[in-house]
Amino acid sequence: MIFDQTDYDFLKLCALCRYMPFGLHKRYDAPFLKRSVIYNLQMHGLIKKQSDNTSYKLTTDGKRYLAEMGSSFPEDARMDLTRTSYKRKLESAETNLLFHLAGVDVFIQAASELKETGYISSLMMRTDKNMKVLGGTRFLGILKIFDTLYIPYSFTEEDMRIIPHFEKEIYTSQSEKIIGVKYIKAMLFGRTLEELWEYMYNNKASTDAVKGRKRLDKALEEMGCDALLVPYGRGGVMQMNIMKIYRYKERIASAMGCVPVMQRELSECDGMIGGTPCIVAFDLDIERIKRALKQVETYNKDAVAKIVCMEFQKSTVFKILKYNNCPKSMVAAIDKYGIYRIFPELKEKTERRPFMTKEGKYIEVNARITKAFDTQWEEE
């Protein structure tokens, strides 16, 4: 077997994340997640499944070949697969994958290296000796897109709680090392938008603090953070793909026939259509949407705002409107074909090609059937 770029992508992500969850090919479109690729890497003894059948991990040979291909990562401490921290690592791995598929550089090794667009995971941050202690924090890393930092959280528990001032102190201290930051927002990940909405706005669990820890929705209010909702899976990849496009809101507004907003009092809106304020809600920044709707109401109590979102976000936008008692608003949902017409660059496809080192060499490895490989497909 001669490695190709697809094999390399999976091995490198597996090394970065330590553990790669099973079944990702069902929720994401990526050549390196195909069963044939994973099958081949197992057959050659480069990855192995964990004993609980929930993830893959690099073997010693896999690490050695990856190093030969020019990539190596810090060793991870042996993990107890029954602990909550293991589940968090799996969700952190899926977040890394989602960003990677959206074209974000997830292999940043220090916050100070974040330039225009990039992501550093908390796992990588923990290897920085100059980093303040991360123990007790729950954010997954730091994502930078242009002048905004996004702090991702994933819901691994029904009643997730954080210590607001401590979380903010840690990620703020890192933001000071990053050039060109104007805004900091939270980014909330979940299996579905419905799950996220229920947690943030329809959760009946106690909001009382427990040992200084507050439920995330209340903690974000205290931290003064806007919160974006992002689902894992293909929809989330599309959402992130668009968000990292420079001035994407303007392109969407223009495609909808909008003209620029000239009124300062409508600063949160993204355009006007025949006198109707337009709000591009692709990022599902709920607080921004609420501020924009409030501006529209203040500007003209009889105005009807038009909200533009992606098709899979439509039901959540209606919930936002109902929750905030905004019956006069209209919602326009764009399907993936409409998105490709606005952003044709998103249709680019990559071809499989042999992996070549900086020295111009191909890397070849012989097959080696492993015991763990034999029953994999029945268990996945």
Side-chain angles (χ1 to χ4, degrees):
M1 162 190 171
I2 294 178
F3 282 106
D4 66 13
Q5 190 65 41
T6 302
D7 303 314
Y8 176 66
D9 283 345
F10 187 90
L11 292 178
K12 193 174 180 182
L13 273 172
C14 200
L16 172 71
C17 302
R18 312 305 195 256
Y19 305 91
M20 284 296 288
F22 284 178
L24 293 175
H25 65 284
K26 300 172 185 176
R27 300 194 295 274
Y28 298 92
D29 299 318
F32 59 82
L33 293 178
K34 289 184 177 179
R35 288 189 170 195
S36 57
V37 174
I38 296 172
Y39 179 100
N40 197 36
L41 293 174
Q42 277 192 286
M43 185 176 69
H44 288 82
L46 304 177
I47 61 173
K48 61 182 179 182
K49 62 178 180 178
Q50 292 299 95
S51 58
D52 67 342
N53 297 325
T54 59
S55 69
Y56 304 101
K57 185 177 176 65
L58 287 186
T59 63
T60 301
D61 280 350
K63 294 174 185 175
R64 178 168 58 84
Y65 278 106
L66 189 62
E68 190 177 342
M69 297 163 82
S71 296
S72 58
F73 296 85
E75 288 290 332
D76 193 32
R78 191 175 181 85
M79 175 62 64
D80 181 347
L81 304 185
T82 64
R83 295 183 62 183
T84 303
S85 54
Y86 171 63
K87 184 178 180 181
R88 290 176 190 159
K89 283 195 175 182
L90 295 185
E91 299 212 352
S92 177
E94 186 163 358
T95 307
N96 273 287
L97 171 69
L98 188 152
F99 288 151
H100 177 67
L101 293 179
V104 175
D105 181 2
V106 298
F107 299 103
I108 304 293
Q109 298 191 16
S112 58
E113 296 176 11
L114 290 168
K115 304 302 180 185
E116 189 172 90
T117 301
Y119 177 67
I120 179 170
S121 70
S122 60
L123 187 62
M124 189 61 68
M125 292 167 69
R126 290 172 197 271
T127 65
D128 185 351
K129 295 180 180 179
N130 298 318
M131 173 70 194
K132 283 190 175 183
V133 177
L134 282 175
T137 59
R138 298 293 299 275
F139 67 91
L140 300 177
I142 297 176
L143 169 69
K144 184 174 188 288
I145 301 180
F146 305 121
D147 61 0
T148 304
L149 291 188
Y150 298 95
I151 312 301
Y153 289 90
S154 180
F155 294 92
T156 56
E157 302 169 8
E158 187 174 333
D159 190 26
M160 182 177 172
R161 294 172 182 270
I162 64 174
I163 303 175
H165 69 274
F166 182 56
E167 295 270 335
K168 188 171 184 176
E169 177 190 352
I170 297 300
Y171 67 65
T172 300
S173 69
Q174 291 302 296
S175 71
E176 293 169 354
K177 303 176 183 179
I178 304 168
I179 298 172
V181 176
K182 291 185 179 179
Y183 311 101
I184 300 179
K185 300 183 179 185
M187 185 173 278
L188 311 182
F189 286 89
R191 291 286 152 227
T192 64
L193 289 176
E194 289 72 22
E195 173 187 286
L196 288 168
W197 178 265
E198 286 297 313
Y199 178 85
M200 293 297 294
Y201 300 97
N202 200 28
N203 196 326
K204 305 303 181 184
S206 171
T207 59
D208 296 336
V210 180
K211 295 182 179 180
R213 293 184 178 274
K214 297 185 178 181
R215 214 177 70 186
L216 188 59
D217 55 339
K218 299 302 178 184
L220 290 174
E221 289 180 12
E222 185 174 320
M223 293 153 68
C225 265
D226 278 14
L228 285 66
L229 306 186
V230 184
Y232 284 122
R234 296 174 181 86
V237 173
M238 179 66 80
Q239 184 175 340
M240 295 310 307
N241 247 323
I242 294 170
M243 284 179 60
K244 70 179 182 59
I245 296 174
Y246 183 62
R247 302 179 84 165
Y248 75 91
K249 290 177 183 175
E250 291 183 19
R251 289 176 62 177
I252 294 168
S254 176
M256 298 296 293
C258 292
V259 296
V261 174
M262 305 304 293
Q263 300 87 344
R264 285 187 179 180
E265 54 267 48
L266 292 175
S267 59
E268 295 284 5
C269 297
D270 301 294
M272 299 286 282
I273 305 177
T276 299
C278 180
I279 304 164
V280 176
F282 275 43
D283 57 0
L284 276 188
D285 181 340
I286 292 177
E287 291 304 314
R288 186 186 79 87
I289 295 170
K290 288 164 60 176
R291 289 194 299 270
L293 290 170
K294 186 66 177 177
Q295 285 185 349
V296 172
E297 183 182 14
T298 302
Y299 174 72
N300 182 350
K301 65 179 183 179
D302 296 320
V304 178
K306 190 166 188 177
I307 303 176
V308 184
C309 64
M310 286 182 276
E311 205 167 42
F312 74 88
Q313 300 170 326
K314 187 175 181 179
S315 63
T316 302
V317 171
F318 278 123
K319 288 176 183 177
I320 295 172
L321 296 175
K322 182 178 179 180
Y323 188 84
N324 292 282
N325 193 28
C326 301
K328 294 181 180 179
S329 303
M330 298 184 297
V331 177
I334 304 178
D335 62 21
K336 66 178 182 179
Y337 303 105
I339 290 170
Y340 288 144
R341 283 194 291 272
I342 300 171
F343 304 106
E345 63 268 35
L346 295 182
K347 296 184 70 173
E348 292 180 4
K349 295 182 179 180
T350 57
E351 297 180 1
R352 295 192 66 168
R353 61 187 186 280
F355 177 85
M356 184 179 291
T357 65
K358 292 180 180 179
E359 294 76 24
K361 296 192 306 180
Y362 295 115
I363 305 294
E364 188 170 0
V365 59
N366 295 322
R368 180 168 63 83
I369 300 295
T370 67
K371 184 178 180 180
F373 165 80
D374 296 336
T375 57
Q376 169 59 36
W377 300 117
E378 288 74 23
E379 294 172 345
E380 182 170 338

